[in-house]
Amino acid sequence: SATTYASEQIMLRQLLLFSIKNGMEFFSKVFIGDKAQTKKLAALITLLQVKWQCEKRTGFPFSYLETAKMGLAVAKDTKRELMCCILIDKEDGRDFGRIVAHMILREFVGMYPNARENDDFDEFNTRLPEIIFSSIQPVLDGLLDHKRIQMALLTNRNGDSLKYSTHEVDKLRLLANLQAYLRVATDIMAGPDDRPMKMDIKGAKNRLVLSRITGATLIVACDNSETVEENLETDEEVQHAEKLLSTVLNTAAHISAGVKFERGFSH
């Protein structure tokens, strides 16, 4: 029987990397579901790409398909005629699927520029949690597309280790200040038996938004706008990034843990 992973937290259901040219499968992995569904997945993508010729018909490459319960995200390398498709829960959303599919394909091409069917992909399989974790970079970089956001970075939950930053920062000074803020907030909330999950520090022209998410702290520096509406727009962008990052971190952590079971019987 197929080996899968036992966790309701895993958002990534299946992964498939194959040749667009001849349909040859290079790598596949089932996290939730049945192994037979992977072949159906490949057949669906081939149908959409080759028979329907969706790129020629619409002028845009096919990159995401959503059903009532699940989403299918696709990334393609036209030069090498490779495709990566991942099956996810619908709730995780298009952006999560697109980013993770792109990062997985990019890393696969980097590790195996001339992939062959009989190649040993064990190293790639081992690195999957790390590859998925690296999706935090495009999420944070994407925040800078919002004109009122100046910088974004991610630390570990305690704020003493920097994971990624969109700009060069004075790491020691930043982490020292962050830990001080978190300690003060924790002390304030300790009375009512609570803990701080979000802080909004406002200055005359700028503000700092700190958010506790899955095993990490997101820090976003942005303008303190003159209107409430503009600040709310910025907050919506930050909240979207929080959801994406939380999904990425959850997925990477649970795949890394690799709690295995066979056909629904836990060990």
Side-chain angles (χ1 to χ4, degrees):
S1 58
T3 300
T4 183
Y5 291 79
S7 173
E8 295 178 356
Q9 299 294 322
I10 293 178
M11 292 75 179
L12 182 59
R13 290 178 168 269
Q14 296 180 23
L15 162 64
L16 178 64
L17 284 147
F18 69 101
S19 168
I20 304 170
K21 186 176 181 179
N22 56 24
M24 181 187 298
E25 178 184 307
F26 291 109
F27 182 87
S28 67
K29 196 171 187 71
V30 178
F31 302 98
I32 301 174
D34 193 291
K35 180 71 175 177
Q37 292 178 344
T38 303
K39 293 183 178 179
K40 295 179 182 179
L41 202 61
L44 173 61
I45 296 297
T46 302
L47 182 65
L48 286 167
Q49 287 293 125
V50 180
K51 191 173 181 179
W52 286 0
Q53 298 182 344
C54 68
E55 290 189 30
K56 292 181 180 179
R57 290 172 182 249
T58 65
F60 298 99
F62 168 72
S63 61
Y64 188 73
L65 175 68
E66 192 171 272
T67 66
K69 295 182 179 180
M70 291 181 288
L72 177 65
V74 173
K76 186 174 69 173
D77 185 312
T78 53
K79 181 180 178 181
R80 295 173 178 82
E81 297 186 310
L82 283 175
M83 182 176 289
C84 171
C85 52
I86 61 172
L87 195 63
I88 61 174
D89 289 339
K90 175 185 175 181
E91 291 76 14
D92 299 322
R94 178 185 62 187
D95 291 341
F96 168 75
R98 283 178 171 175
I99 289 171
V100 171
H102 171 76
M103 297 300 287
I104 290 174
L105 179 61
R106 188 180 76 170
E107 189 65 24
F108 184 83
V109 168
M111 294 177 69
Y112 310 99
N114 299 297
R116 294 171 296 183
E117 186 178 15
N118 296 324
D119 284 348
D120 184 353
F121 300 116
D122 284 349
E123 183 182 357
F124 175 75
N125 180 55
T126 302
R127 290 192 60 194
L128 271 176
E130 176 189 340
I131 296 167
I132 293 170
F133 179 83
S134 68
S135 299
I136 65 172
Q137 297 181 19
V139 174
L140 293 178
D141 289 340
L143 277 171
L144 300 186
D145 292 338
H146 191 282
K147 62 181 180 180
R148 286 184 286 274
I149 293 179
Q150 305 163 13
M151 183 181 72
L153 56 92
L154 193 74
T155 73
N156 66 346
R157 188 166 185 81
N158 295 327
D160 56 13
S161 175
L162 181 63
K163 301 301 181 184
Y164 180 73
S165 175
T166 57
H167 292 71
E168 288 291 330
V169 294
D170 183 340
K171 188 187 298 186
L172 293 178
R173 182 180 178 184
L174 170 75
L175 295 177
N177 289 335
L178 174 60
Q179 287 179 287
Y181 278 128
L182 292 176
R183 278 196 298 269
V184 170
T186 301
D187 290 343
I188 292 172
M189 302 302 291
D193 191 26
D194 205 349
R195 57 177 180 170
M197 296 301 294
K198 196 156 190 170
M199 297 172 64
D200 196 341
I201 304 168
K202 294 184 179 182
K205 296 182 178 180
N206 303 302
R207 64 188 182 116
L208 203 62
V209 180
L210 286 74
S211 308
R212 286 273 182 91
I213 56 177
T214 308
T217 299
L218 171 64
I219 305 164
V220 179
C222 50
D223 298 344
N224 185 18
S225 301
E226 294 181 359
T227 67
V228 174
E229 290 76 15
E230 287 183 347
N231 279 336
L232 287 175
E233 286 178 6
T234 303
D235 290 342
E236 287 177 3
E237 294 293 329
V238 174
Q239 288 166 12
H240 181 60
E242 289 171 4
K243 180 181 183 297
L244 275 175
L245 290 168
S246 182
T247 306
V248 166
L249 294 172
N250 263 324
T251 303
H254 284 86
I255 290 176
S256 180
V259 184
K260 296 182 179 180
F261 79 113
E262 290 191 5
R263 299 266 176 150
F265 293 93
S266 301
H267 296 292

